[in-house]
Amino acid sequence: MASRFDYYEVLGVARDASPQEIKRAFRRLAKLCHPDVGRPSSYRYPFEVVAEAYRVLSDPASRREYDRTLDRSAGGARGGEVARGEPVRRGGARAGPSPRVSFWSRLKSSYRSFRIGSVISSLERSIDEAERLFRERSSSELRLEEGLDPVEVLCRAARSSNPSLALQALRRLREHLLHPRAADAVLEVLRCASSPMVLEEAIALCGFMKSPRKLEALRRHLLGEDKRIAAMAASAMATCGPSAVPHLLEALGSHPEVALAALRELRGKFAEFLTPADLLPLLRSEDVSLRVEALKALSTFKEQREVASAIRSLGEFDGHPLVRFWARKLLEF
Amino acid sequence: MPALGVDFGSSTTLCALADERGARALPVGVGSPFMPSAVALSEDGRLLVGEEAVSVLRAAPDRGIWNLKRLVGQAEGVELGGRTFELELLLSALFRRLRERAEALLRSPVRGAVLAVPAGFTHRQREVLARSASAAGFEVRRFVNEPTAAALSYVVGRGLSGRALVVDFGGGTTDVSLVEHEEGVFEVMESRGLPVGGFDLDEVVADWMADLFRRETGLNLRRDPVAFGRLMAEAEEAKKAFSQAKSVRVLIPMVGALGEEVLDLDLTLAREAFERRVEPVFERVAALALEVLGSRPQCPPDLVLAVGGSSLTWSFVGYLSRRLGLPVKRGPDPLEAVALGAAIEAASLEGRGFDFLLVDVLQQSLGVEVEGGRFLKVIPRGSKLPASAEMVFTTVEDGQREVEIHVLQGEEELACRNVSLGRLLLRDIPRGRRGEVRIKVTFRVDESGMLSVSAVDSKGGPSRELKLSFGVSPRGSRAGRVLSEEALAEVQFEEAYRSLVALSAALEPSHRVRLEECLKRSRSLMGEGDLSLKVSLSRALNEASAKLRSLLG
């Protein structure tokens, strides 16, 4: 919120004044306007205002914040001028004049309609502008203060309930994942976050982390409602090593999208754990990509009779040409 | 008639005088500058003060009271020997004796005083002291916070400049302040306080002795207030003795009885064990000091100063210096520093010998209770004094004539966890619909830490002062509502929203659709937005509604 006073003007210092200059200005003015001085104040601002200006400008963080509001209000004033020129083009009179009214009253009513249109346009623009500034503010909330541990600040922001802030913090945490606090923060986000976008980012980060606890955190999402997130969790889980295999095998029975992600990871990293018993049911799935993926996985077992016959029947009777193609191709080799 | 500096301490009171020749304590005690802050009732019903009271107290703890300071603002009356005395009466007896002795020493009448109080003292506690002192013939020119006074005596008293962290570890309270003296301005940058002090140390030692005694004999002295009182007195002596001796022997004859057998307490306490026991108390002080340092990371002190009687305790300075990682200096006269500083401020106010400007801060935030029992800060802690702030209040009922405002001090989010300063009653509010009346209330804390409040109604006609008083409304309390900036924006938004909805009915369809879209968007933005967004939205809607209304006639 903007103050009524320009604090730089109150203290009589330049915008780029050093902390020492600000302090000196405060001392000089305090000796003019503090009630203890005994004589009536010879300064145009009361001590309270001088003290407030000093409080805001002597703390680096609050000074930066104040500078930003100054910049913004200067920018806002310019935006206002542009806005005033615009309605002429946009808010044209669109009132349908009734045929029986006179020319003058038609002109009057169309003029009024034009004015109303321009009031509404300017309201629309004000709302746009307010929203834009708000978004800007909430994205710029994430500032790294000097002296504070950046990881600490990011971790705090990542836990924020503001999704855009949390998302931004998580993206920047990517560089600090070796930090144990960062890993903790990501895991906590995994546990508590409600925004899908934030969760996706956290799950993606999980893939880069080495934390023994991440398997547990991911498992919850593997079984969750949101299929997209569950699929991502399945992919991230593969980085946990062989301990993830039982969960991934379990996920094969889940929603096709999740099963597909789990199957891809299993094939890529843990092919030795796959058995025909896990894969054959997938051939009956409704999802084409899942059937194809299962076929490819089964190709290593085609010496087994039941596997070969299952592939062959798919090559002949499957409803989708792509599946038939892959089944035939696999049998040829 | 020079003004004195008075340090009304939890255990002793002393006063000092400063002039061109410097500051010095006046020997108001018997052969020393310290007068015990004790009051007692003699057998024949006279009120005794100081050393006389102490002798009564030692024999009959229930006939007297020592720690009057802890009661200021907490209790109205004090029971002495079965009779109840008003606290202010006891305090003024103490101040009168102090003034009489000072007058006898100076051979001139004394009227003015600068009184040092713990920085955490509320407006009410200061008021109680001011009233008691004025009943004793002292006019309190100024309240000065104890850590500030201690720093003044050290820094200004020696003509030093620079930044200092002052840890004032007193009898009942501890204050830590970061101060800076430069170019004739003595600025308090940060100040925090805790109710921890020498009494806690005494209690730790007394508890320790009671434990040892119980283990030895099986008798629990904590159950017996008279015996525990004697234990506390001996504990204080033992605490002081550890500064010189590696072990202390405590002997209290006939401290209690177990059946027919009368028991004496005879214990030998070791200094190492003492250090271990008191460490938790030291730690609370050190944590407070670290908190103050941490709040101003860009302003490291040139000097850490330990003052106050309890800073003399064995191993305290060493412990503090270890925890802060900075060398800690003990003031040359830690017991007198506060009184000397108050005297220096008195001299500066009168322009005698010292010339500097003291700028102190508010140690605890001042605020009001708002809906849901929350605490809304009006003047945040650390504000330079004098400070003032304005708030807008409104009514919650149609035709409401009175609004009650609960004023509190503290840092907690819930109002009930802070210290209540009182309820302020705004009367003769002009009649109006609920939420329509706007009352602007100005809170002001002056250089002495005293609060004053004024109110004007800012709607309808010329603004005028409203009557107000602390106290409960005689006809049952009337709640009011604070319009914080945010709430104000929300209320104005709602008003504008309703009027735009009404206006939209008269618009042609294409305009109506666009306006409705605007209303929908702004409503959803209000839900997620911050204060600044709410303010701009409500302003935009209000503007639009005013323009449309004039266009539609």
Side-chain angles (χ1 to χ4, degrees):
Chain A
M1 77 207 107
S3 154
R4 286 172 293 164
F5 302 100
D6 177 348
Y7 290 151
Y8 289 100
E9 201 248 356
V10 169
L11 289 185
V13 294
R15 271 293 289 272
D16 56 353
S18 70
Q20 199 52 42
E21 282 169 337
I22 287 174
K23 186 163 271 198
R24 198 158 285 150
F26 169 71
R27 287 194 201 116
R28 187 173 55 79
L29 294 174
K31 280 187 267 186
L32 288 179
C33 60
H34 193 279
D36 274 358
V37 174
R39 48 180 186 270
S41 169
S42 51
Y43 194 55
R44 61 185 178 283
Y45 295 108
F47 177 80
E48 280 97 324
V49 176
V50 173
E52 175 66 12
Y54 176 57
R55 186 185 67 75
V56 169
L57 297 187
S58 61
D59 177 46
S62 69
R63 183 177 174 183
R64 263 200 303 277
E65 175 70 24
Y66 176 71
D67 285 351
R68 262 221 311 281
T69 60
L70 273 190
D71 293 341
R72 198 179 298 146
S73 59
R78 277 198 303 277
E81 278 162 23
V82 176
R84 264 195 290 284
E86 236 175 322
V88 189
R89 275 182 281 118
R90 273 223 297 194
R94 270 174 290 183
S98 100
R100 271 187 293 170
V101 288
S102 73
F103 170 75
W104 280 116
S105 76
R106 257 189 1 234
L107 188 65
K108 231 172 105 181
S109 98
S110 87
Y111 176 67
R112 201 179 68 173
S113 163
F114 158 72
R115 290 280 304 274
I116 290 173
S118 70
V119 169
I120 295 177
S121 324
S122 104
L123 176 62
E124 282 169 346
R125 263 196 313 281
S126 306
I127 295 176
D128 284 346
E129 177 68 10
E131 182 175 5
R132 193 182 62 74
L133 284 173
F134 168 62
R135 302 277 173 234
E136 215 170 72
R137 258 197 315 279
S138 45
S139 67
S140 63
E141 256 178 80
L142 184 58
R143 277 174 302 125
L144 300 184
E145 302 290 345
E146 288 161 40
L148 285 177
D149 181 7
V151 177
E152 189 63 26
V153 175
L154 289 171
C155 289
R156 205 160 349 125
R159 295 187 185 108
S160 153
S161 55
N162 175 346
S164 75
L165 184 62
L167 200 60
Q168 210 187 345
L170 279 174
R171 288 195 182 128
R172 289 173 66 173
L173 266 180
R174 195 178 278 255
E175 299 152 28
H176 304 282
L177 281 179
L178 288 179
H179 198 291
R181 313 278 307 244
D184 283 350
V186 173
L187 288 176
E188 195 181 322
V189 173
L190 268 185
R191 209 165 41 246
C192 311
S194 53
S195 152
M197 265 159 54
V198 173
L199 268 179
E200 279 178 25
E201 186 68 26
I203 289 174
L205 284 184
C206 245
F208 302 102
M209 276 167 28
K210 290 190 174 34
S211 165
R213 287 182 295 139
K214 71 177 179 180
L215 180 67
E216 186 55 32
L218 286 169
R219 206 168 67 88
R220 288 188 29 191
H221 293 293
L222 189 63
L223 308 173
E225 294 277 295
D226 190 326
K227 297 306 157 211
R228 206 177 130 69
I229 287 190
M232 287 189 70
S235 312
M237 249 185 175
T239 60
C240 298
S243 56
V245 170
H247 305 302
L248 289 174
L249 287 175
E250 191 185 350
L252 290 181
S254 171
H255 189 273
E257 200 178 329
V258 184
L260 185 64
L263 184 56
R264 285 201 173 127
E265 295 300 331
L266 281 167
R267 271 194 68 209
K269 297 202 172 85
F270 313 107
E272 66 274 21
F273 292 97
L274 279 171
T275 62
D278 298 322
L279 297 167
L280 284 172
L282 297 180
L283 294 179
R284 290 191 291 277
S285 161
E286 285 169 17
D287 187 279
V288 177
S289 339
L290 185 59
R291 290 206 297 274
V292 172
E293 197 69 26
L295 268 175
K296 290 181 186 165
L298 276 169
S299 68
T300 46
F301 305 107
K302 64 182 174 192
E303 273 67 49
Q304 294 180 24
R305 193 140 42 98
E306 50 186 321
V307 175
S309 75
I311 295 181
R312 196 170 301 122
S313 78
L314 227 57
E316 299 207 358
F317 306 112
D318 195 276
H320 200 278
L322 194 63
V323 181
R324 289 200 299 274
F325 165 78
W326 271 104
R328 285 182 195 145
K329 193 165 179 196
L330 285 173
L331 281 176
E332 282 166 23
F333 292 103
Chain B
M1 282 192 301
L4 297 179
V6 176
D7 173 16
F8 168 52
S10 303
S11 59
T12 56
T13 298
L14 66 165
C15 62
L17 180 70
D19 53 25
E20 291 79 1
R21 287 175 293 158
R24 61 201 176 279
L26 300 176
V28 287
V30 175
S32 86
F34 308 106
M35 185 176 91
S37 315
V39 187
L41 191 67
S42 71
E43 292 292 335
D44 54 357
R46 283 182 308 125
L47 213 51
L48 303 176
V49 176
E51 293 80 6
E52 292 169 321
V54 172
S55 55
V56 171
L57 254 168
R58 290 244 188 265
D62 61 322
R63 297 195 68 84
I65 180 159
W66 198 315
N67 196 353
L68 275 177
K69 194 177 179 181
R70 266 195 184 178
L71 295 180
V72 173
Q74 313 288 326
E76 295 276 312
V78 182
E79 202 168 297
L80 297 182
R83 278 170 60 189
T84 305
F85 289 89
E86 265 180 52
L87 179 70
E88 285 184 24
L89 184 83
L90 301 183
L91 288 170
S92 75
L94 197 87
F95 286 129
R96 184 169 297 116
R97 174 64 51 87
L98 195 69
R99 188 172 64 88
E100 285 164 5
R101 288 190 184 173
E103 282 181 346
L105 286 165
L106 296 171
R107 297 202 181 82
S108 78
V110 171
R111 289 289 171 269
V114 169
L115 208 57
V117 291
F121 255 32
T122 62
H123 151 79
R124 285 188 103 179
Q125 288 169 305
R126 285 165 207 249
E127 227 171 28
V128 168
L129 285 180
R131 273 201 304 270
S132 321
S134 95
F138 265 132
E139 184 206 330
V140 179
R141 298 262 162 84
R142 166 70 50 88
F143 284 102
V144 52
N145 294 332
E146 283 168 8
T148 308
L152 271 177
S153 78
Y154 192 87
V155 179
V156 178
R158 299 166 152 220
L160 302 176
S161 60
R163 208 177 289 140
L165 183 79
V166 184
V167 180
D168 179 8
F169 189 20
T173 49
T174 295
D175 293 300
V176 178
S177 298
L178 188 64
V179 301
E180 190 174 44
H181 182 223
E182 210 75 68
E183 297 170 345
V185 175
F186 191 89
E187 182 195 344
V188 181
M189 304 171 82
E190 197 70 52
S191 180
R192 308 264 166 99
L194 268 186
V196 58
F199 279 96
D200 298 275
L201 296 173
D202 297 349
E203 220 168 309
V204 166
V205 176
D207 264 343
W208 178 24
M209 297 199 298
D211 273 346
L212 290 175
F213 188 69
R214 193 179 179 189
R215 215 172 297 157
E216 218 171 82
T217 63
L219 183 64
N220 188 357
L221 292 178
R222 281 193 206 89
R223 297 239 177 88
D224 179 354
V226 175
F228 199 72
R230 291 171 71 189
L231 219 55
M232 283 288 281
E234 288 302 322
E236 195 195 344
E237 293 304 315
K239 174 185 78 178
K240 288 179 182 162
F242 275 123
S243 303
Q244 269 91 39
K246 281 199 156 185
S247 70
V248 173
R249 185 166 172 211
V250 182
L251 194 76
I252 312 179
M254 294 185 282
V255 73
L258 205 61
E260 291 293 299
E261 192 188 1
V262 177
L263 298 173
D264 298 340
L265 179 143
D266 184 0
L267 296 168
T268 305
L269 307 175
R271 198 197 255 171
E272 282 94 56
F274 171 75
E275 279 177 32
R276 267 202 316 279
R277 296 248 166 191
V278 295
E279 214 154 77
V281 181
F282 290 172
E283 179 51 35
R284 291 176 67 192
V285 177
L288 185 68
L290 285 169
E291 189 186 312
V292 170
L293 284 181
S295 70
R296 294 289 184 126
Q298 68 276 22
C299 301
D302 306 320
L303 170 80
V304 182
L305 201 63
V307 298
S310 303
S311 72
L312 294 171
T313 312
W314 172 254
S315 86
F316 173 70
V317 167
Y319 185 84
L320 188 64
S321 138
R322 265 202 312 284
R323 287 289 280 119
L324 299 186
L326 293 166
V328 176
K329 264 198 177 176
R330 194 148 36 199
D333 32 26
L335 296 171
E336 295 175 8
V338 169
L340 295 179
I344 290 174
E345 169 68 359
S348 159
L349 286 177
E350 294 179 338
R352 271 184 294 115
F354 291 90
D355 182 26
F356 64 92
L357 177 69
L358 172 64
V359 181
D360 212 334
V361 294
L362 188 67
Q363 204 193 35
Q364 290 178 317
S365 303
L366 185 85
V368 295
E369 183 173 342
V370 295
E371 284 142 284
R374 283 178 309 122
F375 178 60
L376 181 71
K377 287 177 187 172
V378 181
I379 305 181
R381 76 167 164 202
S383 299
K384 301 243 180 300
L385 299 181
S388 58
E390 281 174 6
M391 300 202 73
V392 180
F393 288 81
T394 190
T395 49
V396 293
E397 283 168 43
D398 291 343
Q400 188 176 340
R401 301 299 305 276
E402 290 178 354
V403 163
E404 197 182 79
I405 304 168
H406 191 191
V407 185
L408 304 108
Q409 201 164 24
E411 310 305 322
E412 297 286 337
E413 231 163 83
L414 284 178
C416 57
R417 296 217 187 129
N418 293 307
V419 180
S420 170
L421 297 183
R423 290 171 187 276
L424 193 69
L425 199 59
L426 301 180
R427 276 180 293 192
D428 295 341
I429 290 169
R431 286 180 198 284
R433 300 276 302 279
R434 68 169 165 223
E436 231 176 43
V437 183
R438 301 266 185 276
I439 310 147
K440 198 163 77 185
V441 180
T442 307
F443 296 83
R444 185 169 193 278
V445 181
D446 72 3
E447 313 83 82
S448 272
M450 303 291 278
L451 170 73
S452 59
V453 189
S454 62
V456 290
D457 79 84
S458 57
K459 182 145 183 175
S463 65
R464 64 194 172 92
E465 287 280 324
L466 290 175
K467 283 183 206 157
L468 49 89
S469 57
F470 271 109
V472 180
S473 143
R475 278 157 296 153
S477 67
R478 288 279 186 131
R481 194 148 68 96
V482 182
L483 287 185
S484 64
E485 218 170 325
E486 189 159 5
L488 199 62
E490 278 167 11
V491 169
Q492 285 169 350
F493 175 85
E494 287 304 324
E495 282 168 10
Y497 187 91
R498 273 199 301 275
S499 93
L500 281 174
V501 168
L503 288 169
S504 74
L507 295 179
E508 57 190 278
S510 66
H511 286 159
R512 193 163 62 223
V513 170
R514 282 169 67 198
L515 182 60
E516 277 164 2
E517 182 57 28
C518 281
L519 288 174
K520 221 169 83 188
R521 268 186 62 208
S522 56
R523 163 76 77 197
S524 81
L525 279 173
M526 278 302 272
E528 59 170 316
D530 56 1
L531 172 63
S532 173
L533 176 71
K534 286 178 180 174
V535 171
S536 24
L537 282 179
S538 87
R539 196 177 298 150
L541 255 65
N542 262 309
E543 226 166 75
S545 114
K547 279 186 193 155
L548 283 183
R549 197 174 304 134
S550 76
L551 279 172
L552 292 169

